[in-house]
Amino acid sequence: MLDKINIVLSNTTHPGNIGAAARAMKVMGLSRLTLINPSQFPSAEASRRASRATDILADAKVCSSIEEAITDSRLIVGTSARTRSLPSKLVTPRQLVEKILNHRDNVPVAILFGTENSGLTNDELHLCHYHVCIPTNPDYSSLNLASAVQLIAYEMRLGLADVEMLPSQNIGDNEMMISREQMVGLLSHFDQVMQQTGYVIPEYKKQLDQRMNRLLSKAEVTQSELNILRGFLSSVGKYCERVAAGHSKE
Amino acid sequence: MLDKINIVLSNTTHPGNIGAAARAMKVMGLSRLTLINPSQFPSAEASRRASRATDILADAKVCSSIEEAITDSRLIVGTSARTRSLPSKLVTPRQLVEKILNHRDNVPVAILFGTENSGLTNDELHLCHYHVCIPTNPDYSSLNLASAVQLIAYEMRLGLADVEMLPSQNIGDNEMMISREQMVGLLSHFDQVMQQTGYVIPEYKKQLDQRMNRLLSKAEVTQSELNILRGFLSSVGKYCERVAAGHSKE
């Protein structure tokens, strides 16, 4: 689905922004870039800012008009920071994902980004089915072009890529959470040592038990941490016994 | 709530990234920036990339250790692209918002970003309650530092700012959607002209009526658009009458 998303940059002034946009796309798994009348392209500055996403730049389509850029697109979306005189279907980036998913036939989507200073022209916005508006601070909405591409590409990846969102963790047995049986054993060991050292006040014992259970539950204790805690408790118990034995000898 | 979020950049190498991070923060309404051992700060390059977010740089706290940076923080979160040998509570940026919202007492949160090339050190990660992992393309996960700050700041704004996500549109009466009564009148006008021009085939009339209703419903026709359509239909009707009158004269 991500290969159906065409990022279209119209009349971009700074070549560095084209490179940074390519990097922002690739890091989210987007690959189709179209440039309408870029001020300067190809450009060494664009390649530098693209880092290792220069393949996106090499494959970019360069057009001389918006109509040429979107001719194969079916769903056309314009990014817009402002509201216009002619109201249109205004959506958040997250709502846009829903709109795209509504088209089960996997339609080609063009997402248009205007020139750095003034955004898309009214003529460009009129061609769009939706206007997507990235939520920003109303007192300072100066979102960098590549940052806007980054945020849209991120939402596309989250919403459209059929992948695990978090890398899988290779967890050894030592890092598995303990079982309830082990938890009961641990709580009982704490209780035993607390009794031994005189920490437990009988009328508050139930409350103490509950709090210890809550604390250790929140900690999501692992096998290796269980070993540390039980080792520590054993050492306390043995020390107390040694001290008690010393006293009894005196 | 956004004023409780402290963005902590550790050992940042390129001053431009500090400036771009400040801009990324401000555009999403974040203001607290802490720098641990920045290579170069203050810096003209940082100020240039910050655009009009130089107030964030001016207010930034500069520290010489991670402990100093997070001493007032209660919830500590590290950004991490990799999984580590010691598994920790790994969350997506969106899940992180939920974790922060679970703390109803509005706790100060520190979100740590490591150095450009290698990220946070293991020592830094061990101080964190959660590791947040931004979903990226597994074949190219080279997210720029300022882009990472941008994405996290965006999720914080979406999840924590009590604001309207879309700017309100100042809609004139002409741009209000038409009522069902007006829709019925429009459909009836289409039907009348289609009958007049001989477009309607009786056995398919019901299907045609349904499709016209669906088309015009999807279009969410406004008052001004209604005027255009009805004006057009009237002109067709009158033209047909003129033509018919001409024929009858012959």
Side-chain angles (χ1 to χ4, degrees):
Chain A
M1 191 77 191
L2 291 180
D3 59 340
K4 293 287 176 185
I5 308 287
N6 186 13
I7 298 292
V8 181
L9 306 184
S10 176
N11 291 279
T12 311
T13 311
H14 300 295
N17 283 336
I18 296 175
R23 179 176 177 179
M25 287 169 61
K26 187 169 182 178
V27 86
M28 292 300 159
L30 298 187
S31 54
R32 292 191 60 200
L33 174 63
T34 300
L35 307 171
I36 305 171
N37 295 326
S39 292
Q40 203 184 324
F41 187 82
S43 135
E45 173 69 2
S47 300
R48 191 183 68 75
R49 290 286 297 280
S51 187
R52 284 178 296 115
T54 44
D55 53 330
I56 307 271
L57 296 181
D59 293 343
K61 185 179 162 191
V62 181
C63 298
S64 58
S65 77
I66 178 88
E67 286 290 358
E68 186 189 347
I70 64 178
T71 187
D72 295 330
S73 306
R74 288 173 186 260
L75 189 64
I76 299 150
V77 181
T79 52
S80 173
R82 295 165 288 158
T83 56
R84 305 289 170 144
S85 52
L86 189 72
S88 59
K89 293 183 182 173
L90 199 62
V91 294
T92 65
R94 214 156 283 179
Q95 289 166 337
L96 176 60
V97 170
E98 295 303 313
K99 301 294 179 191
I100 293 173
L101 286 171
N102 285 344
H103 291 274
R104 297 191 199 138
D105 42 350
N106 216 355
V107 299
V109 181
I111 306 181
L112 317 182
F113 295 80
T115 188
E116 285 92 337
N117 284 333
S118 52
L120 292 167
T121 64
N122 279 329
D123 283 351
E124 288 168 329
L125 282 167
H126 282 159
L127 295 173
C128 297
H129 294 98
Y130 292 100
H131 295 173
V132 61
C133 184
I134 299 172
T136 53
N137 177 357
D139 299 329
Y140 181 75
S141 59
S142 169
L143 192 60
N144 172 265
L145 173 61
S147 295
V149 171
Q150 184 69 77
L151 291 170
I152 294 292
Y154 165 75
E155 286 286 0
M156 295 299 117
R157 181 167 193 82
L158 255 62
L160 306 179
D162 187 21
V163 294
E164 287 291 323
M165 282 304 125
L166 288 174
S168 60
Q169 290 185 293
N170 210 341
I171 296 179
D173 288 348
N174 263 346
E175 296 306 334
M176 277 180 60
M177 267 179 73
I178 59 173
S179 67
R180 180 63 199 170
E181 187 183 6
Q182 291 174 305
M183 174 68 106
V184 170
L186 176 60
L187 288 166
S188 155
H189 201 163
F190 263 110
D191 180 54
Q192 179 197 321
V193 175
M194 284 172 168
Q195 300 269 7
Q196 200 172 1
T197 62
Y199 180 73
V200 181
I201 299 163
E203 55 262 51
Y204 296 124
K205 180 168 188 325
K206 190 173 174 193
Q207 194 183 44
L208 177 63
D209 287 348
Q210 287 171 342
R211 299 224 162 184
M212 286 302 293
N213 186 77
R214 190 181 71 162
L215 171 65
L216 293 168
S217 296
K218 280 192 299 180
E220 298 183 5
V221 176
T222 65
Q223 186 66 50
S224 65
E225 291 158 351
L226 177 72
N227 295 342
I228 292 170
L229 291 172
R230 294 205 67 150
F232 166 67
L233 291 170
S234 292
S235 78
V236 174
K238 279 176 195 155
Y239 181 80
C240 292
E241 280 166 22
R242 280 204 304 280
V243 172
H247 275 293
S248 68
K249 274 180 199 163
E250 283 165 18
Chain B
M1 191 80 191
L2 291 180
D3 59 341
K4 294 287 177 185
I5 308 287
N6 186 13
I7 298 293
V8 180
L9 307 184
S10 176
N11 290 279
T12 311
T13 311
H14 301 293
N17 283 336
I18 296 175
R23 179 176 177 180
M25 288 169 61
K26 187 169 182 178
V27 88
M28 293 298 159
L30 298 187
S31 55
R32 291 190 61 199
L33 175 64
T34 299
L35 307 171
I36 305 171
N37 294 328
S39 292
Q40 202 184 323
F41 187 83
S43 133
E45 174 69 1
S47 300
R48 192 183 67 76
R49 290 286 297 280
S51 187
R52 284 177 296 114
T54 44
D55 54 330
I56 307 271
L57 296 181
D59 294 343
K61 185 178 162 190
V62 181
C63 299
S64 58
S65 76
I66 179 87
E67 287 289 0
E68 184 187 349
I70 64 177
T71 187
D72 295 330
S73 306
R74 288 174 185 257
L75 189 63
I76 299 150
V77 181
T79 53
S80 173
R82 295 164 289 157
T83 57
R84 306 289 171 144
S85 52
L86 189 70
S88 59
K89 294 184 182 172
L90 198 63
V91 294
T92 65
R94 214 157 285 178
Q95 289 167 337
L96 175 61
V97 170
E98 296 303 312
K99 301 295 180 192
I100 293 172
L101 286 172
N102 285 345
H103 291 274
R104 298 192 198 137
D105 42 352
N106 215 355
V107 299
V109 180
I111 305 182
L112 316 183
F113 295 79
T115 188
E116 285 92 337
N117 284 333
S118 51
L120 293 167
T121 64
N122 279 330
D123 283 351
E124 288 168 330
L125 283 166
H126 281 159
L127 295 172
C128 298
H129 294 98
Y130 293 99
H131 295 173
V132 60
C133 184
I134 298 173
T136 52
N137 178 357
D139 299 329
Y140 181 74
S141 59
S142 167
L143 193 60
N144 169 266
L145 174 61
S147 295
V149 171
Q150 184 70 78
L151 291 171
I152 295 291
Y154 166 76
E155 286 286 359
M156 294 300 118
R157 181 166 193 82
L158 255 62
L160 305 179
D162 186 20
V163 293
E164 287 292 322
M165 281 303 126
L166 288 173
S168 60
Q169 290 184 294
N170 210 341
I171 294 179
D173 289 347
N174 263 345
E175 297 306 333
M176 276 181 62
M177 266 178 74
I178 60 173
S179 67
R180 180 63 198 169
E181 187 183 6
Q182 289 174 306
M183 174 69 106
V184 169
L186 176 61
L187 287 167
S188 156
H189 201 163
F190 262 109
D191 180 54
Q192 181 196 318
V193 174
M194 284 173 167
Q195 299 270 8
Q196 200 172 2
T197 62
Y199 180 72
V200 182
I201 300 164
E203 56 262 50
Y204 295 123
K205 181 169 187 324
K206 191 174 174 189
Q207 195 183 43
L208 177 63
D209 287 349
Q210 287 171 341
R211 300 223 162 184
M212 286 301 295
N213 186 78
R214 190 181 72 163
L215 171 65
L216 294 168
S217 297
K218 279 192 301 180
E220 297 183 4
V221 177
T222 64
Q223 185 67 50
S224 65
E225 291 158 350
L226 177 72
N227 296 341
I228 292 171
L229 291 173
R230 294 206 66 151
F232 165 66
L233 291 171
S234 292
S235 79
V236 174
K238 279 177 194 155
Y239 181 79
C240 292
E241 280 166 24
R242 279 203 305 278
V243 172
H247 276 293
S248 67
K249 274 180 198 166
E250 283 165 19

